[in-house]
Amino acid sequence: MNKLSVVGSSVIRKDALDKVCGKTRFSADIKIPGMLHVKVLRSKVAHGILKSIDISKAVTLPGVCTVLTAKDVPGTNSHGIILKDEPVLVNDKIRKIGDPLAIVAAETEKIASQALALIEIQIEALPVVSDPLEAMKSDSPTVHGESNILGQRKIRKGNIEEAFQKADIIVEKEYHTQTQEHAYIEPEAGVSYMDGDVVVIKVSTQNTHFDAREVARNLNLPVNRVRIIQAPTGGGFGGKLDVAVQNWLGLVTLHTGLPARMVYSREESIICSGKRHATTIRYKTAADQSGKLLGVKIEAFCDTGAYSSYGPAPVTRLAVHGTGPYEVPNVEIDAYTIYTNNPTAGAFRGFGVPQVTFACEQQLDMIAEIVGISPIDIRMMNTLKKDSLTATGQVIESITGIGEPLQAAYQKAKASIDQLKANETKTKKRGYGMGCMFYGTGNTGQPNPAGAFIDFLDDGTVNLMVGAADMGQGSSTVLAQIAAEELGVHFEDVKVTAADTGVTPDGGASSASRQTYISGNAVLKAAQTVKKLLLEEASIVFAVPADTIIFKDRHAHVSNEDTSAQSINVTELIRNCRRKGIMTIGHGSYNPNTIELDDETGVGCPYETYAFGSQIVEIEVDIETGEIEVLKIYAAHDVGQAVNPLQVDAQIEGACIQGLGYAIYEEIKKEQGKITTPSFSTYLIPTAMDMPEIHSIIVEEPSGNGPFGVKGLGETALVPTAAAIANALYDAIGIRLYSLPLTPEKVLEALQEKSI
Amino acid sequence: MNKLSVVGSSVIRKDALDKVCGKTRFSADIKIPGMLHVKVLRSKVAHGILKSIDISKAVTLPGVCTVLTAKDVPGTNSHGIILKDEPVLVNDKIRKIGDPLAIVAAETEKIASQALALIEIQIEALPVVSDPLEAMKSDSPTVHGESNILGQRKIRKGNIEEAFQKADIIVEKEYHTQTQEHAYIEPEAGVSYMDGDVVVIKVSTQNTHFDAREVARNLNLPVNRVRIIQAPTGGGFGGKLDVAVQNWLGLVTLHTGLPARMVYSREESIICSGKRHATTIRYKTAADQSGKLLGVKIEAFCDTGAYSSYGPAPVTRLAVHGTGPYEVPNVEIDAYTIYTNNPTAGAFRGFGVPQVTFACEQQLDMIAEIVGISPIDIRMMNTLKKDSLTATGQVIESITGIGEPLQAAYQKAKASIDQLKANETKTKKRGYGMGCMFYGTGNTGQPNPAGAFIDFLDDGTVNLMVGAADMGQGSSTVLAQIAAEELGVHFEDVKVTAADTGVTPDGGASSASRQTYISGNAVLKAAQTVKKLLLEEASIVFAVPADTIIFKDRHAHVSNEDTSAQSINVTELIRNCRRKGIMTIGHGSYNPNTIELDDETGVGCPYETYAFGSQIVEIEVDIETGEIEVLKIYAAHDVGQAVNPLQVDAQIEGACIQGLGYAIYEEIKKEQGKITTPSFSTYLIPTAMDMPEIHSIIVEEPSGNGPFGVKGLGETALVPTAAAIANALYDAIGIRLYSLPLTPEKVLEALQEKSI
């Protein structure tokens, strides 16, 4: 096989220098002459009926251009990723604090704020539903319709009752995971303007094409009269998959014809954006006396808050990945998506899997302890591997499953682990733990194609048009690398235009770790279309069959000869094409081959490929304060093929630190639907000082269908971190916590209980 | 065949309302905060050596940002459409008045002008070459290299000497045609700025992709680091095929990192832009006693001025169309492109053909008079028609040639012509005349492909990306119609993004009447790619073969049934595709099948199709003043298929009035290379008051390969107007003029000579 030259190389992303130099102009930095400033009047009530709204005083305030309410929405007054259950502007029912009641567009932000205060509203309060388990009861007040149960994902495999009857060991625990905030560095923001009859919105987003469809529905416009262009985006992590400012900006610009700008405050961002689902997970595991898993039964209760957002998808993912990366012959999983009046939960890096992994991986350690084998042995014994059947009945293609990552992480960690206890003090105890994971690449059993257009220009440079939004994860870089590799040019030869619904094809969401795999395949196919034309030309030039020619370093070579002897610059081949009037352009698209899950059994083929990974963490616990310090993380992840090893390292490091925050710091606290931690002084995220030594270890077992063997990576390294830390906590001080985050208070309380 | 529904309909172009309301923002209207204003120091000398240039005073003038000279051009300091013979900034030799010596970028236009005056230059004058026939002589000073003869296009068919020996009638005359100015309503203008590492230039242009390649060469950048976006363009007519402001804007922005703006004054535009070639044409025709043409011998001398621009191409076209739309068995044509120190001549609507048609059509009338047959009869007798051989040996596909247009024009004009003389007065004489033409669609025997990307969106609307620049001729409208027709949607469903080198494929120049035909075919192919996917879905839905299904009015129908019974909305078919993960995107390209002309004989296949047309004009001549008033023009043109009849009418009307101006008003006068008519007070163009009654008559004989049968139209109706007016002049007062324009002075002088 031809050795790769651009794929696999740590080229420097093109946006790096501008970002580190502060030159990048994010949405909030864009100034358009005459633009209006838009603010939203938001409900302070979590559940109620909007009885009246009087904008008469607000609209007459000097400097106010317009005040819009539900009646001003020309199209469908609803939006949502999976269900359209969220109003653009509340017409009748308020379902959460922060629900939008009216928008003001004014000459300055200050005037807009003043006008908000002049809007008079009357709300009839309703009882607040804030506990998801209470919400499931038939006598609970409902948030939408007749039941708060939005969905139930069932997975059935084998005979779970029999498994528990036959089991030597049964471990059953209830786990609780908290609501997590994405805490992206850039809050929601955008600008809008008319370009002829097209409403253009430049916005911080993860999915321009979805946004365009939503805004078009809300504005009652054809989709191609709404153009969403992704502005440089300061992080998303799933939270910018929901529309935020988009439809309000569209409304203002459509109503006034004027440009507009809207920027969330940090508090608004925390209160109003979707979050990671808080869950209650009842996890029951059956094993034989050797530690071999016989059965897993899970009940998971996931609080989606007031609106569904991406909700059902993470809950499905939680269920699909409920057994962890292990072969379990008998499975029964019921995962519920539950409406409450809490803040909406939607997509968040990991999509439900970090929650269930926190449970699954602790269960495994507990069984290993009972059996008397090591955490590694129980994992190696049970791992999914080639031809294993998942809980949904899918046959695994990976040969080793977690085997290779786990061995790699352990080999790297071993020397350090061996020294770990030696460095303990009387009050500072140390331990290590591991967490393993698997994660399906792409949307779960649903079509989720992506497209690409490509233009191989006369001088051998390339224009690549893709829908994939790069919100910092680096998709534009890796997609350029894939195009460059296939066309045999250099990374810097490829210019990517991404995520502009006016000119790029739909790439689907930048979520579910899918873009490198799916848009990557679309790019590959587009490049192959063009390359075929050049291969034909090269075949004529060299008088050899096209399949003996390789493209590399801006040249075509005959593969089985001394390359210097038989080599031609690609620009000459393009020139040959041009002389014949052949355009070197192409399109490509890709959709992974999946089968939708059966509603009753979950049987199906949810993903084309799975990524496997293992993390080993070392921690130190201060038994006087209860504080956990994570010292080191050895994170080994199978990415199939690292397109850009430096970016893979960065993804792993970023995910580990976000997973560390999830494990020990971060928690959105709520009281009756109200967030009591709406700032970074009350909602703590890890800082540079909390950063452990992270050893990222890249494992590459190529997938069958990913471009150059790629598997999804974006989320994977967040998945097992919290579980590994929880297992390390037990190793350090013999305490097992079943509730995230692992706060000093919980540690101290458990220590106290233990000592009693 | 399925009846057309969008193609053939006079939909209103989307840019119309904004243009008539003055809302369109042309290049000169674009304001970018902090932009510099750029001006060019131009030579006042027509021929010389630039000995020194001292910018020291200019560069220190407060408000001046930078002054750049030839040494600041980082790439190749030359540009040009066919030959790169024109400097970006003069390094050594000055070849015409207006040659660029330095550019200034300053905070205001005024400061830039002041700075120009501070630049000190020393020029060593050289003898000026201003007469092309003198320039051909071996002892003439040369403008470039060793000879002023840039090219000679030869066409040889049959045996010309024998034809003249056998001829009953020989008519030989020398014709002179003048230099014509495009006089577009918008002078050259553009703005530039950096977008990351990309130099973006928004500009009034006819060919963004050519511009990008030129600027990239001049700036020494990869082509995809220069992005040319066509700004709304106020006319081109061939004059905006050359780069004007583009490379200077690019230089300033690349050197300073700052946005910049450059707008030509009208005088600058007239002095510096390319024009229609002035020609001397020696035309000798042989015929038998019936009027049947036996031979044509032409020597044409075309003044390309100081630089080649598109020069060789119009001269080739002049030669290829030299015999007019007639079958001539014996042909000898020599057409010379000659350098002088005159203003550059390049592309101008008609590309050399109006010049030779002025000769050819008068020759024909003279022969008809000698033979004693009508102008119509001699034309019908000699017209090219199916299986005729052109002068270059190409077999004609049209069945009737000029027959159908000529008959159509004559039928429409007949009643009026019959009354014409009856309305004469003693001093105002009337007459009618005709001119016929043929015109090959697309570039002459050269590959000239175009591409298109298409995205059929979820709601049945369409994004279409094409390279074709719409400078007012309406290409975006007709390309949208072609896409809509093929996809069975409405015109308003298609949004076109045109002429943006960052995201659209190359469409080639908007010249040579090629875009509807060539980009139209590219769009058709892209649409067919997408439609094929939907046909497959419809075939499944209807359970009938795909080829029995038609798309119309946003629905797919079974063609042989009552459409209401078997009909499905295209959005449902798209939804079906999406459910299967099929992206409804595509690309398409087209290149006409031509054969390059042989250098020695001109044998080849220069175009895939020819458009034919005939015009009959009625004029009134004031024999006291010599003034010609054109009363009516009956213009019948075969467009193959009128995509938009309203636009066809407008093209015909616009071309006729520009042809009328060419015939009787317009003339760029020069003295020793200096234009003495550099304003609209000295260079007269027709006004609304000069507008005759124009009867445009659309003839539709479908071409074999054009989309829906289309042939090129943009230039055709200008071609025969001057010739028809000259013939009408003879009919009115018995005077034949061989020199354009047909000014009152020339008429009076001829009348005087006649009366002597």
Side-chain angles (χ1 to χ4, degrees), chain A residues 14 18 33 196-198 209 213 216 221-225 227 447-455 457-459 461-465 492-495 497 500-507 529 578-583 585-591, chain B residues 14 18 33 196-198 209 213 216 221-225 227 447-455 457-459 461-465 492-495 497 500-507 529 578-583 585-591:
Chain A
K14 292 183 185 174
D18 276 358
D197 63 353
V198 176
H209 283 74
R213 290 189 292 268
L221 291 177
V223 174
N224 66 355
R225 282 189 53 202
R227 181 174 183 177
N448 65 130
F453 292 134
I454 203 162
D455 190 350
L457 303 170
D458 310 61
D459 69 341
T461 60
V462 178
N463 277 342
L464 179 63
M465 278 67 72
E492 58 267 31
D493 295 337
V494 182
K495 177 174 169 277
T497 297
D500 175 345
T501 65
V503 294
T504 69
D506 194 353
T529 302
R578 290 281 186 283
R579 278 192 203 113
K580 297 176 182 174
I582 298 168
M583 298 284 296
I585 62 174
H587 76 278
S589 66
Y590 188 77
N591 183 53
Chain B
K14 291 181 184 173
D18 276 359
D197 62 355
V198 177
H209 285 72
R213 291 189 292 268
L221 291 176
V223 175
N224 66 355
R225 281 190 52 202
R227 181 174 184 179
N448 64 130
F453 292 134
I454 202 162
D455 190 350
L457 303 170
D458 310 62
D459 70 342
T461 60
V462 178
N463 278 342
L464 179 62
M465 278 66 74
E492 58 267 32
D493 296 337
V494 182
K495 176 173 169 278
T497 298
D500 175 345
T501 65
V503 294
T504 67
D506 194 353
T529 302
R578 291 282 186 282
R579 278 192 202 115
K580 297 176 182 174
I582 298 168
M583 298 285 295
I585 62 174
H587 75 279
S589 65
Y590 188 76
N591 182 52

Side-chain angles (χ1 to χ4, degrees), chain A residues 431-510:
Chain A
Y432 79 98
M434 65 192 60
C436 293
M437 55 72 62
F438 77 141
Y439 197 83
T441 302
N443 292 9
T444 310
Q446 297 291 327
N448 65 130
F453 292 134
I454 203 162
D455 190 350
F456 207 177
L457 303 170
D458 310 61
D459 69 341
T461 60
V462 178
N463 277 342
L464 179 63
M465 278 67 72
V466 293
D470 189 338
M471 62 278 186
Q473 88 280 28
S475 55
S476 289
T477 305
V478 297
L479 296 177
Q481 287 183 266
I482 288 168
E485 181 67 49
E486 184 62 17
L487 296 176
V489 297
H490 296 176
F491 167 67
E492 58 267 31
D493 295 337
V494 182
K495 177 174 169 277
V496 178
T497 297
D500 175 345
T501 65
V503 294
T504 69
D506 194 353
S510 286

Side-chain angles (χ1 to χ4, degrees), chain A residues 700-711:
Chain A
E700 293 176 312
E701 187 194 348
S703 68
N705 291 306
F708 303 101
V710 155
K711 298 171 184 170

Side-chain angles (χ1 to χ4, degrees), chain A residues 337-511:
Chain A
T337 312
I338 306 155
Y339 278 131
T340 64
N341 295 117
N342 288 328
T344 301
F348 196 134
R349 200 177 197 176
F351 251 84
V353 187
Q355 291 97 313
V356 79
T357 301
F358 176 67
C360 169
E361 290 292 301
Q362 291 207 76
Q363 294 281 112
L364 225 60
D365 264 25
M366 286 184 264
I367 293 164
E369 189 180 19
I370 293 166
V371 174
I373 60 175
S374 77
I376 290 183
D377 287 346
I378 195 167
R379 287 172 171 81
M380 291 301 290
M381 179 193 303
N382 286 293
T383 182
L384 290 165
K385 53 188 178 294
K386 185 154 178 55
D387 299 331
S388 291
L389 277 191
T390 67
T392 68
Q394 184 175 358
V395 179
I396 287 291
E397 67 167 358
S398 167
I399 293 167
T400 79
I402 60 166
E404 202 175 327
L406 183 52
Q407 297 296 348
Y410 185 69
Q411 287 310 313
K412 187 111 184 184
K414 193 169 180 305
S416 178
I417 290 171
D418 289 347
Q419 288 299 313
L420 194 60
K421 298 277 184 186
N423 293 318
E424 283 189 343
T425 68
K426 203 176 159 192
T427 59
K428 299 203 171 176
K429 301 297 180 188
R430 295 188 166 198
Y432 79 98
M434 65 192 60
C436 293
M437 55 72 62
F438 77 141
Y439 197 83
T441 302
N443 292 9
T444 310
Q446 297 291 327
N448 65 130
F453 292 134
I454 203 162
D455 190 350
F456 207 177
L457 303 170
D458 310 61
D459 69 341
T461 60
V462 178
N463 277 342
L464 179 63
M465 278 67 72
V466 293
D470 189 338
M471 62 278 186
Q473 88 280 28
S475 55
S476 289
T477 305
V478 297
L479 296 177
Q481 287 183 266
I482 288 168
E485 181 67 49
E486 184 62 17
L487 296 176
V489 297
H490 296 176
F491 167 67
E492 58 267 31
D493 295 337
V494 182
K495 177 174 169 277
V496 178
T497 297
D500 175 345
T501 65
V503 294
T504 69
D506 194 353
S510 286
S511 71

Side-chain angles (χ1 to χ4, degrees), chain B residues 67 228 391 448 450 481 509 520 589 660 719:
Chain B
V67 180
I228 307 283
N448 64 130
Q481 287 183 266
S589 65
L660 186 158
V719 171

